[in-house]
């Protein structure tokens, strides 16, 4: 399934917010089709790291290479990468003034210039896939949190990305809605999508992860396969963290 | 069965503790006449309130009847001989002034025998405005209709071709001038204000500095001085022999001035849009201008309809300041029409009429903005 050439590569990435060193020597390599799950305590830089991959945040040191293109100030390169990297946010960030269908067709129409009928067909297929085809004409504000997040996933997929980034996609949801979103993500994983996913849903991690990454205080503390990560973590820090979130 | 009764007991007990006296007063007695009840609880519910109510009634008694007898019962409505003689004999308002001078007030110094041209032009524009206000006409064809109307209006006002006599802009005046200046000022200032507002929030320091500097500079001076600059100072910098139409200069001044204020209103809207909206658009690969046009501005502008319309209303009324550079807007034309010594004593009636015209336009804008806000909010409530 997986290919050997990395599609996302972070090499010794450094980032500061003013004087605050958020990312310290962060390195990560993701192969095609690989599922990476990132976890770690709050404020450890997980969001910052994942947001550097599509340049929502700028890094100040080291290198980030996506699909063979190095992220730098070149706007065209950044736009090219963003077309191919979908992102799902913790707070959904759907466009409230557009219907669900318009949310899904916006980027295909205005970024890829796909004909309207084709974009709408694709959007309806995607809504089918995330199991809410009957909500196409509604506005995001009229949907439940779980439905909104599934729309957000569909919106990202509408650009036919080869890589998907998830930043705590279920942590803003009521518990009973978490599963419906995770099910969609598990299905997506099964289809061979390359995924980098920040989440504390360890059940999901066990089910889909090829690689677990643990971050703390801006550093990658541990990178290991899930079997080892959960049963015999290399570092004491990881052990503590897992104890906290699985313990209760 | 026991629960509800308990609740009632509790409620009465609570009311008794909090305000024992008013509870007695407000106790419903089914036989009391309703308006009397209403007056009791709203106009006479306390001693200060009762005093205020009585004072207000007294004031209305003093003001309203004299006003009515002046404005309606004793007013002179027509002048049989075209002079103000009838008005001088009467004790009330002289509305006959309107019959005699309405064309001067409405069209200023535009050639008298050609008044049908600005009248038709104004009617066309007002009809188009009314049409454009309705959502069902928001189709691409509307833009072409406007283009056509603008051409026809320009032809009517200027003439010079197709059998119409040429009328130069210094002769334009009255309502068409006021309406034209306000409308063009708003239409030109609006896009400029959006660019300024976006520029003020730009990441590029040079653009940010220019936009901020412009907005703060213009907001720091009165419109009168901007108009004065545009009409008196500006020509000094032009090469010998080059002149720019006075009306155009006033329009540019109005536009630049209005844009600075509008920009701040627009910026307020931009600031209210959560960062996540832009991030989501960025993540989808939307380039800057498309992101602004499709995602940020539609949401931001919707939020600031009230302050934007506020600015439009200001702009409409501010057109009366162009009189200082020698243009005859509605107010100046009204004033000029009162220069006739025969009618001069009745200037109050003239200004009331002009004020009424301003009010009709401004009030329409205000009501329309309220409707628009509701109309655009449907379905998107978060
Ligand atoms: N725009 C910013 N300016 C300054 N500091 C920031 C900014 N964004 C994040 N930080 C800081 O950077 C650190 C890392 O933030 P980040 O959001 O990446 O953490 P996280 O691991 O995603 O945490 P969480 O689990 O709470 O989402 C935090 O200490 C945060 O306060
Ligand atoms: Mg985070």
């Amino acid at each position: 399934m997986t290919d050997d050439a990395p599609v996302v590569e972070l090499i010794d990435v450094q980032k500061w917010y003013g004087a605050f060193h958020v990312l310290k020597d962060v390195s990560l390599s993701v192969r095609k089709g690989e599922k990476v799950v990132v976890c770690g305590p709050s404020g450890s830089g997980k969001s910052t790291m994942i947001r550097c991959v599509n340049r929502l945040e700028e890094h100040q040191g080291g290198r980030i290479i996506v699909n063979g293109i190095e992220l730098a100030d070149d706007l065209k390169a950044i736009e090219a990468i963003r077309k191919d990297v979908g992102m799902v946010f913790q707070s959904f960030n759907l466009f409230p003034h557009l219907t669900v269908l318009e949310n899904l067709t916006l980027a295909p129409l205005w970024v890829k210039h796909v004909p309207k009928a084709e974009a709408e067909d694709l959007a309806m297929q995607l809504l089918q896939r995330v199991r809410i085809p009957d909500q196409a004409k509604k506005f995001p504000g009229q949907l439940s949190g779980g439905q909104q997040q599934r729309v957000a996933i569909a919106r990202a997929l509408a650009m036919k990305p080869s890589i998907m980034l998830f930043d705590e996609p279920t942590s803003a949801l009521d518990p009973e809605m978490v599963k419906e979103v995770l099910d969609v993500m598990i299905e997506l994983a099964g289809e061979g999508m390359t995924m980098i996913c920040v989440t504390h849903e360890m059940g999901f991690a066990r089910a889909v992860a090829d690689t677990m990454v643990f971050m703390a205080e801006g550093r990658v503390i541990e990178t290991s396969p899930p079997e080892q990560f959960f049963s015999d973590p290399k570092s004491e820090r990881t052990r503590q963290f897992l104890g906290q979130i699985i313990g209760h | 069965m026991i629960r509800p009764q308990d609740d009632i007991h509790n409620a009465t007990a609570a009311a008794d503790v909090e305000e024992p006296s008013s509870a007695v007063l407000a106790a419903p007695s089914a036989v009391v006449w309703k308006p009397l009840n209403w007056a009791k609880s709203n106009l006479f519910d306390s001693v200060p309130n009762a005093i205020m109510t009585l004072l207000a009634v007294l004031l209305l008694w003093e003001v309203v009847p004299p006003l009515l007898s002046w404005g309606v019962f004793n007013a002179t409505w027509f002048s049989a001989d075209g002079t103000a003689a009838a008005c001088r004999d009467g004790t009330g308002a002289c509305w006959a002034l309107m019959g005699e001078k309405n064309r001067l007030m409405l069209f200023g110094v535009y050639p008298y025998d050609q008044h049908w041209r600005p009248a038709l032009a104004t009617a066309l524009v007002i009809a188009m405005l009314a049409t454009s206000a309705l959502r069902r006409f928001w189709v691409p064809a509307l833009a072409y209709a406007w283009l056509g109307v603008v051409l026809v209006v320009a032809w009517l006002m200027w003439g010079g071709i197709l059998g119409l006599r040429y009328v130069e802009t210094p002769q334009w005046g009255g309502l068409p001038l006021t309406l034209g200046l306000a409308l063009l000022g708003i239409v030109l200032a609006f896009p400029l204000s959006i660019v300024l507002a976006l520029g003020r929030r730009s990441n590029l320091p040079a653009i940010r500095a220019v936009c901020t500097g412009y907005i703060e500079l213009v907001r720091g001076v009165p419109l009168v001085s901007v108009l004065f600059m545009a009409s008196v100072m500006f020509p000094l910098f032009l090469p010998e022999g080059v002149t720019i139409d006075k009306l155009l200069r006033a329009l540019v001044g109005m536009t630049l001035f209005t844009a600075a204020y509008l920009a701040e209103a627009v910026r307020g809207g931009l600031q209210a849009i959560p960062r996540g909206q832009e991030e989501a658009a960025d993540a989808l690969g939307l380039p800057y201008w498309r992101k602004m046009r499709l995602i940020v501005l539609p949401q931001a502008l919707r939020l600031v309809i009230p302050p934007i319309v506020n600015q439009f209303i200001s702009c409409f009324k501010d057109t009366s300041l162009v009189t200082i550079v020698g243009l005859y807007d509605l107010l100046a034309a009204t004033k000029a029409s009162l220069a006739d010594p025969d009618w001069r004593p009745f200037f109050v009636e003239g200004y009331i009429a002009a004020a009424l015209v301003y009010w009709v336009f401004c009030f329409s804008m205000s009501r329309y903005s309220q409707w628009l806000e509701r109309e655009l909010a449907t379905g998107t409530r978060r």
Side-chain angles (χ1 to χ4, degrees):
Chain A
M1 255 251 172
T2 55
D3 213 88
D4 268 356
V7 288
V8 176
E9 200 166 17
L10 281 72
I11 307 167
D12 290 335
V13 170
Q14 315 286 341
K15 177 167 178 64
W16 286 266
Y17 282 124
F20 177 56
H21 201 171
V22 219
L23 295 183
K24 302 165 190 158
D25 306 317
V26 168
S27 293
L28 180 70
S29 175
V30 184
R31 284 161 291 122
K32 190 169 187 310
E34 188 175 351
K35 284 85 182 143
V36 177
V37 169
V38 183
C39 59
S42 179
S44 55
K46 308 179 298 290
S47 296
T48 309
M49 193 255 303
I50 202 172
R51 288 154 60 87
C52 279
V53 174
N54 64 352
R55 195 74 168 186
L56 288 184
E57 301 285 352
E58 222 171 283
H59 60 287
Q60 280 111 28
R63 304 173 67 194
I64 300 179
I65 300 153
V66 180
N67 281 337
I69 307 171
E70 172 149 11
L71 279 171
D73 287 329
D74 180 5
L75 271 177
K76 284 275 163 285
I78 293 170
E79 274 166 23
I81 286 172
R82 283 174 176 172
K83 268 191 233 183
D84 199 43
V85 179
M87 183 157 198
V88 176
F89 301 85
Q90 179 173 352
S91 50
F92 327 138
N93 296 351
L94 292 176
F95 305 130
H97 61 304
L98 302 177
T99 62
V100 165
L101 190 69
E102 287 166 341
N103 264 277
L104 264 64
T105 55
L106 182 100
L109 287 176
W110 293 96
V111 178
K112 280 187 166 173
H113 308 289
V114 172
K116 190 161 185 216
E118 196 180 311
E120 288 184 351
D121 273 358
L122 174 65
M124 287 313 296
Q125 280 173 34
L126 287 167
L127 286 177
Q128 204 94 45
R129 213 164 121 188
V130 299
R131 301 182 197 94
I132 35 177
D134 45 334
Q135 313 284 1
K137 290 278 176 281
K138 286 197 184 165
F139 286 92
Q142 297 166 320
L143 304 185
S144 75
Q147 290 174 325
Q148 290 193 44
Q149 193 60 300
R150 284 182 282 154
V151 172
I153 294 172
R155 178 178 69 179
L157 292 177
M159 286 295 283
K160 299 188 176 158
S162 68
I163 302 163
M164 285 285 284
L165 310 175
F166 294 84
D167 188 1
E168 305 204 36
T170 57
S171 48
L173 297 178
D174 291 338
E176 73 271 18
M177 294 171 185
V178 169
K179 187 173 176 299
E180 63 191 47
V181 171
L182 290 181
D183 284 348
V184 167
M185 290 169 64
I186 290 170
E187 204 174 294
L188 192 61
E191 288 160 18
M193 176 68 75
T194 309
M195 291 164 66
I196 304 178
C197 191
V198 176
T199 184
H200 292 145
E201 294 293 334
M202 289 304 140
F204 169 79
R206 278 182 214 269
V208 307
D210 297 311
T211 307
M212 294 297 302
V213 172
F214 175 70
M215 286 184 75
E217 282 134 31
R219 288 183 195 283
V220 172
I221 305 288
E222 174 155 1
T223 306
S224 52
E227 310 82 54
Q228 184 189 348
F229 185 83
F230 288 112
S231 55
D232 182 25
K234 282 181 266 183
S235 101
E236 184 51 35
R237 194 80 177 70
T238 314
R239 206 182 300 270
Q240 273 177 9
F241 176 75
L242 286 175
Q244 274 167 12
I245 66 163
I246 299 175
H248 54 262
Chain B
M1 273 289 110
I2 291 169
R3 260 287 162 78
Q5 277 180 342
D6 273 353
D7 282 347
I8 289 170
H9 281 304
N10 287 341
T12 350
D16 281 345
V17 170
E18 274 163 19
E19 31 187 357
S21 58
S22 75
V24 176
L25 266 180
S29 66
V31 288
V32 180
W33 188 44
K34 280 266 172 55
L36 209 63
N37 239 1
W38 177 86
K40 206 191 231 173
S41 59
N42 287 284
L43 301 177
F44 297 100
D45 57 340
S46 68
V47 174
N49 248 3
I51 293 173
M52 292 304 279
T53 303
L54 291 175
L55 280 177
V57 169
L58 192 68
L59 194 71
L60 288 176
W61 183 252
E62 286 292 316
V63 170
V64 174
L67 209 59
L68 280 179
S69 69
W70 177 79
V72 182
F73 303 123
N74 296 334
T76 310
W77 296 88
F78 303 102
S79 159
D81 54 0
T83 69
C87 286
R88 268 193 297 277
D89 296 339
T91 56
C94 177
W95 301 125
L97 170 79
M98 252 39 82
E100 276 318 296
K101 299 290 182 189
N102 64 52
R103 286 175 58 176
L104 269 179
M105 289 175 166
L106 285 176
F107 305 118
V109 287
Y110 205 90
Y112 198 79
D113 59 331
Q114 301 287 311
H115 276 181
W116 65 272
R117 287 161 54 180
L120 185 57
T122 308
L124 263 176
V125 168
I126 291 175
M128 270 310 279
L129 283 174
T131 310
S132 314
L134 298 174
R135 194 168 199 165
R136 92 183 87 108
F137 293 113
W138 295 355
V139 292
L142 189 65
Y144 295 106
W146 267 110
L147 189 67
V149 166
V150 166
L151 290 175
V152 171
V153 165
W155 171 63
L156 283 170
M157 293 301 292
W158 264 296
I161 49 164
L162 299 174
L164 288 188
R165 200 167 91 212
Y166 177 65
V167 179
E168 51 181 8
T169 54
Q171 288 184 284
W172 297 10
L175 184 59
L177 186 81
T178 290
L179 205 56
L181 266 178
L183 214 56
L184 276 173
I186 287 167
V187 166
L188 297 174
F190 194 43
L192 181 59
S193 74
I194 289 174
V195 172
L196 285 169
L198 291 175
R200 193 164 183 176
R201 286 166 52 85
S202 166
N203 292 326
L204 306 170
I207 291 180
R208 196 167 55 228
V210 168
C211 293
T212 309
Y214 173 84
I215 292 170
E216 294 305 335
L217 183 74
V218 173
R219 288 205 308 163
V221 295
L223 174 57
V224 172
S225 62
V226 173
L227 288 173
F228 203 68
M229 288 270 287
S231 75
V232 180
M233 305 273 292
F234 184 58
L236 299 180
F237 300 109
L238 288 177
E240 201 71 36
V242 179
T243 54
I244 295 182
D245 192 287
K246 189 157 73 174
L247 182 59
L248 183 62
R249 277 180 274 149
L251 176 63
V252 170
M254 288 283 313
T255 303
L256 296 181
F257 186 80
T258 305
Y261 281 87
L262 271 179
E264 287 298 280
V266 172
R267 190 166 68 98
L270 293 175
Q271 258 155 359
I273 304 304
R275 240 176 77 102
Q277 289 291 306
E278 273 198 58
E279 286 176 353
D282 283 338
L284 288 168
L286 281 171
Y288 179 83
W289 284 106
R290 256 168 266 175
K291 168 177 76 179
M292 289 302 160
R293 182 158 61 88
L294 300 167
I295 304 302
V296 179
L297 286 171
Q299 296 183 61
L301 294 180
R302 204 168 289 188
L303 285 177
V304 291
I305 290 173
I308 284 180
V309 172
N310 207 13
Q311 210 49 56
F312 287 179
I313 289 174
S314 280
C315 177
F316 188 86
K317 291 186 295 188
D318 284 349
T319 53
S320 58
L321 290 172
V322 297
T323 174
I324 67 135
V325 299
L327 291 169
Y328 283 92
D329 71 294
L330 179 61
L331 197 61
T334 303
K335 196 173 165 194
S337 72
L338 293 165
D340 181 346
D342 189 27
W343 293 94
R344 196 177 301 161
F346 308 104
F347 65 94
V348 173
E349 287 85 335
Y351 286 125
I352 288 178
L356 201 63
V357 176
Y358 280 104
W359 182 80
V360 165
F361 280 97
C362 294
F363 186 66
S364 313
M365 279 192 259
S366 160
R367 292 314 299 243
Y368 181 65
S369 90
Q370 287 169 24
W371 173 83
L372 192 65
E373 242 183 297
R374 275 198 308 275
E375 181 74 11
L376 294 181
T378 44
T380 61
R381 244 170 243 119
R382 267 172 278 190

